[in-house]
Amino acid sequence: MMISRRSYLLPTIILLCITYALFSNLPPGAEPPNAHNHLYQQYATDPPPPKEGRTRWRKHVEQYPISDYIPLPTSATSPIPRIQYDFPRESWFARWGRVKRQRAVKKAFQHAWKGYKDNAWLEDELSPLTGGHRETFAGWAATLVDSLDTLVIMGLMDEFEEAVEAVEFIDFTTTNAIQINIFETNIRYLGGLLGAYDLTHGRYPVLLKKAVEIADMIYGSFDTRNRMPQSRWEWTRSAGGLKIEPGRNTILAELGSLNLEFTRLSQLTNDPKYFDAIQRITDFLEESQEKTNVPGMWPLMVNAKDLEFADPRFTIGGMADSTYEYLPKEHMLLGGQTSQYRKMYNSFMKALKSHLLFRPKTLDGRDILFAGNMRVSEPSNGKETLEPQWEHLKCYLGGTVGIGAKVFDRPEELSIARKLVDGCIWAYDVMPTGIMPEVLHLTVCKNRENCKLSKSARTGKTTSDGKKLPPGVADIPDAKYLLRPEAIESVFIMYRLTGDTLLQDAAWRMFQNIERMTRTSYGHAAISDVRDPESPQMDYMESFWLAETLKYFYLIFSEPDLVNLDKYVLNTEAHPFKRPTAASQ
């Protein structure tokens, strides 16, 4: 039977009239259902109100100008070997299962992104329990910038373009912060802008424009007598034409983890000043690497003012981590055009294997590895103290050693990398929540031929607060989970290096447990105790949850050519930079 268009046009008009009558009489401040209660619609067309009365950064004459910049290297060296496994064509059933997992990760991201967009747009972080926001990294919309390339990777291009429009309005010339953390600004903001620019093949020039803007500001932190940066930069002094000094207690990672971002910016702009800035740090680290109390490594704290190392603590964990992570990665980004990073990595690995690696005792005696901390007094008395401490931050190490084994042609160390990755998976699996804590201590296996726990130790200890420790875990000083990415980072990298689908299964267990324990109405929240399946949540969702953790979970269930490791190198905040030369096949 034919139905005339008029016959259902009339009811439609009536419905529209009723809707208008209802919503045009809403009380002041009310919004119709599904209306977005956020600022992003306004800022898509109009800039935010100006921040009056603040000190602003402007380019100025340097106190200690450079007369001759160190250029990017151009000498040819041997090609970098291929990194990624040669994945076979997958079956339809394998693809169905993989895509199903991938979609679950994407839904988790969309949930958290909506919470940020609706409640904390252009702020640094969402408070996932209350729906508020926090200013943590100078107030420059850290979560927005940090998440740009994740939006691209997940195919959320409408959301990405909204975010790119908002980036234009971020004012990098001023902040409420008295000091600017150069490391965090570098990896999150500069890295986020460059990663999104590279991943979209330069189609959004505003991203490079804003990258230069933030880089030119923090470049001011290098204007010191020895050109070492003031890592917690007193930026208003520099803006006022006053001198600054690097710190006598500078965190190693904050000094040694600026390479990738500044190098990539020099590659994209052909301006050598950025590479010059970080190359002076690298030359200092290389020159001093064999002169510390643990030759091949640097202590936790550096006297960047006097270029000295007095700290007796050595670790590959927090406050040191990305300095070592960047050794093979900078080699990749430079296309292998210098042997400097190969030399530094070789020296580091010798020290790591000699001093810090250990095998723990477990129920089944499995062959896994961890890296402890070491306190070393003057080498003359030869006293070394190993602390069998492991932390979630250290889980990056398996991926780093795996990459190093490939790019520096050290195939015998791929097994070490796998044992480190398996150690992190084990630390997830043995916890009642299926999530690894922030810090734990392990039981060292001194006889590597037999690492099974004794019968008396197989029940696990009970702590003073009545919590039972998993067998093999000696203590858990910090039981929180802060939504960190390092474990899934290395699981992802090892999967891309080996093609072992058991790693995808481990990642899926990790994701399901994290999603279950951390999901809130507004996003995802850190939890206070991974030993408690009913752990309270914390009103805390750092930008790396969207920038790193969910990105790595998504990528491990993606087709292997998405962010191919032979084409991109990922910075310590998981931002992909294009490698300038193709890997050899």
Side-chain angles (χ1 to χ4, degrees):
M1 181 178 66
M2 295 290 293
I3 301 177
S4 71
R5 294 171 61 186
R6 182 180 297 179
S7 65
Y8 59 85
L9 181 60
L10 182 61
T12 301
I13 293 172
I14 294 171
L15 180 60
L16 288 171
C17 292
I18 294 171
T19 302
Y20 175 79
L22 286 172
F23 293 152
S24 63
N25 293 296
L26 287 170
E31 294 181 330
N34 302 317
H36 294 295
N37 182 23
H38 48 55
L39 297 175
Y40 84 92
Q41 288 177 318
Q42 172 191 345
Y43 291 169
T45 54
D46 301 313
K51 299 169 181 176
E52 302 297 341
R54 292 189 186 178
T55 301
R56 290 185 175 275
W57 175 256
R58 294 287 184 270
K59 288 185 179 180
H60 61 281
V61 176
E62 289 188 301
Q63 302 281 346
Y64 304 99
I66 298 295
S67 59
D68 189 16
Y69 292 122
I70 302 171
L72 285 162
T74 56
S75 60
T77 60
S78 57
I80 298 174
R82 180 173 174 164
I83 292 178
Q84 284 213 161
Y85 178 73
D86 187 11
F87 287 86
R89 185 174 180 178
E90 65 181 339
S91 68
W92 72 266
F93 183 75
R95 175 180 171 79
W96 174 81
R98 174 181 61 77
V99 170
K100 184 178 179 182
R101 293 173 172 183
Q102 185 190 50
R103 286 173 178 164
V105 176
K106 184 175 181 178
K107 285 181 180 178
F109 177 90
Q110 289 173 302
H111 171 68
W113 178 254
K114 184 179 186 301
Y116 172 75
K117 192 165 69 171
D118 287 356
N119 301 280
W121 192 246
L122 286 176
E123 303 292 345
D124 280 348
E125 293 175 6
L126 169 72
S127 298
L129 298 183
T130 59
H133 55 78
R134 304 193 313 154
E135 182 173 309
T136 48
F137 298 109
W140 293 325
T143 294
L144 186 152
V145 177
D146 225 0
S147 304
L148 287 170
D149 49 40
T150 310
L151 291 166
V152 176
I153 287 168
M154 294 190 180
L156 300 170
M157 294 307 295
D158 288 344
E159 292 85 346
F160 170 73
E161 292 188 346
E162 282 180 342
V164 170
E165 289 179 2
V167 164
E168 181 73 54
F169 302 129
I170 299 174
D171 184 359
F172 286 128
T173 68
T174 189
T175 173
N176 284 325
I178 298 173
Q179 295 182 338
I180 294 175
N181 186 318
I182 298 302
F183 166 74
E184 297 288 0
T185 302
N186 174 64
I187 64 170
R188 298 183 196 232
Y189 290 112
L190 182 54
L193 292 164
L194 292 176
Y197 181 82
D198 268 355
L199 206 58
T200 54
H201 310 291
R203 292 195 300 269
Y204 298 84
V206 67
L207 297 173
L208 184 58
K209 172 191 166 188
K210 299 300 283 190
V212 170
E213 187 177 312
I214 185 64
D216 281 349
M217 184 186 188
I218 63 176
Y219 183 78
S221 69
F222 290 82
D223 189 12
T224 66
R225 188 179 299 276
N226 62 9
R227 301 303 297 186
M228 295 296 110
Q230 186 184 62
S231 62
R232 305 300 174 98
W233 182 31
E234 299 170 291
W235 72 278
T236 55
R237 286 184 58 84
S238 296
L242 301 175
K243 293 183 178 181
I244 58 169
E245 295 181 343
R248 284 196 168 97
N249 287 291
T250 298
I251 293 170
L252 175 62
E254 294 185 358
L255 186 67
S257 309
L258 309 174
N259 317 39
L260 290 180
E261 299 77 12
F262 273 53
T263 296
R264 187 60 187 143
L265 190 57
S266 278
Q267 290 173 340
L268 289 168
T269 63
N270 294 315
D271 188 337
K273 73 178 184 182
Y274 309 111
F275 178 74
D276 172 272
I278 59 90
Q279 186 58 35
R280 294 173 188 274
I281 298 173
T282 299
D283 289 344
F284 161 59
L285 291 176
E286 182 193 21
E287 190 274 334
S288 60
Q289 189 175 11
E290 296 297 323
K291 300 176 183 178
T292 69
N293 288 349
V294 178
M297 297 183 67
W298 303 274
L300 200 61
M301 305 296 290
V302 181
N303 180 342
K305 180 180 179 181
D306 303 316
L307 303 182
E308 295 176 348
F309 299 96
D311 193 337
R313 298 168 296 172
F314 291 79
T315 182
I316 54 87
M319 301 169 66
D321 44 11
S322 45
T323 296
Y324 301 108
E325 175 192 351
Y326 273 19
L327 296 177
K329 289 184 173 182
E330 179 74 354
H331 181 80
M332 294 160 65
L333 190 60
L334 291 172
Q337 292 180 315
T338 170
S339 61
Q340 185 175 33
Y341 287 94
R342 179 191 297 272
K343 177 185 173 185
M344 295 170 77
Y345 182 81
N346 291 347
S347 185
F348 159 62
M349 283 302 297
K350 181 179 178 182
L352 176 70
K353 291 188 288 187
S354 300
H355 297 281
L356 297 184
L357 290 184
F358 70 91
R359 183 177 171 183
K361 288 188 175 182
T362 63
L363 274 177
D364 56 4
R366 71 179 62 189
D367 193 4
I368 54 179
L369 288 174
F370 296 91
N373 302 332
M374 181 161 288
R375 179 176 287 271
V376 183
S377 54
E378 288 298 323
S380 56
N381 64 28
K383 187 176 180 181
E384 297 181 355
T385 305
L386 177 68
E387 177 192 16
Q389 181 252 38
W390 187 249
E391 55 191 270
H392 201 287
L393 279 166
K394 289 180 177 179
C395 279
Y396 81 94
L397 185 62
T400 294
V401 174
I403 289 174
K406 290 283 189 176
V407 302
F408 295 127
D409 196 21
R410 300 166 67 97
E412 71 282 0
E413 290 172 355
L414 193 59
S415 65
I416 293 175
R418 180 59 187 260
K419 291 173 185 179
L420 287 164
V421 173
D422 286 344
C424 289
I425 294 171
W426 172 86
Y428 266 73
D429 286 341
V430 298
M431 294 296 159
T433 56
I435 304 174
M436 179 184 169
E438 185 76 351
V439 181
L440 69 162
H441 287 89
L442 299 159
T443 305
V444 178
C445 176
K446 295 181 179 179
N447 175 13
R448 290 210 173 187
E449 300 304 315
N450 180 15
C451 290
K452 285 187 177 182
L453 288 166
S454 64
K455 289 184 179 180
S456 60
R458 292 183 181 183
T459 56
K461 298 179 181 178
T462 301
T463 60
S464 58
D465 60 358
K467 298 284 177 67
K468 200 150 185 98
L469 294 171
V473 176
D475 187 26
I476 300 180
D478 189 343
K480 294 190 289 293
Y481 172 64
L482 303 179
L483 304 175
R484 289 202 187 276
E486 292 78 18
I488 183 56
E489 171 187 353
S490 282
V491 173
F492 158 72
I493 291 172
M494 188 56 56
Y495 170 69
R496 287 288 184 90
L497 299 184
T498 66
D500 187 349
T501 56
L502 290 177
L503 293 163
Q504 288 180 308
D505 294 337
W508 183 238
R509 292 197 303 275
M510 293 162 64
F511 171 75
Q512 287 180 299
N513 290 328
I514 292 171
E515 166 77 356
R516 183 186 72 253
M517 292 296 301
T518 66
R519 189 179 179 95
T520 73
S521 297
Y522 297 104
H524 296 83
I527 61 174
S528 61
D529 194 341
V530 300
R531 301 168 298 176
D532 181 3
E534 303 297 326
S535 172
Q537 295 175 325
M538 304 162 68
D539 203 10
Y540 180 86
M541 189 182 89
E542 255 203 72
S543 67
F544 55 61
W545 170 245
L546 296 174
E548 297 188 75
T549 311
L550 289 176
K551 180 187 293 172
Y552 283 125
F553 275 120
Y554 186 85
L555 285 174
I556 198 171
F557 300 123
S558 299
E559 293 186 357
D561 201 47
L562 182 60
V563 191
N564 188 315
L565 298 183
D566 289 315
K567 298 177 182 177
Y568 292 91
V569 58
L570 293 150
N571 87 332
T572 195
E573 194 75 4
H575 298 306
F577 302 156
K578 275 187 181 178
R579 294 172 55 181
T581 56
S584 62
Q585 300 301 314

